[in-house]
Amino acid sequence: MTSPGGPIYSTSDSGTNQYTTLEGSSFSSAGAAGALAMLQELHERAYGSEQPMLASTWRALLILKA
């Protein structure tokens, strides 16, 4: 999985309903973590929490390029 580092159209801290374009690796780490959390939830729903996802599966998902 690859995540964007910039430019990202995002909310701004300059006021309500304000947006700006930002860059940085902080955006990519949050996107990757959120996507993996959703995949972990899907895995638990399909196979139960008694069968955790293998480390090799996590690694494959992280480096997968769509």
Side-chain angles (χ1 to χ4, degrees):
M1 168 190 326
T2 58
S3 296
I8 303 291
Y9 189 63
S10 181
T11 55
S12 173
D13 61 358
S14 62
T16 305
N17 296 324
Q18 299 295 313
Y19 297 89
T20 187
T21 301
L22 301 168
E23 296 185 25
S25 61
S26 296
F27 290 104
S28 61
S29 58
L36 286 175
M38 291 172 52
L39 289 170
Q40 174 65 36
E41 183 178 338
L42 180 64
H43 183 271
E44 287 181 5
R45 287 184 184 191
Y47 302 105
S49 60
E50 298 297 317
Q51 184 178 355
M53 194 180 302
L54 298 173
S56 57
T57 305
W58 282 103
R59 183 174 186 271
L61 290 169
L62 279 169
I63 62 174
L64 176 70
K65 294 187 179 185

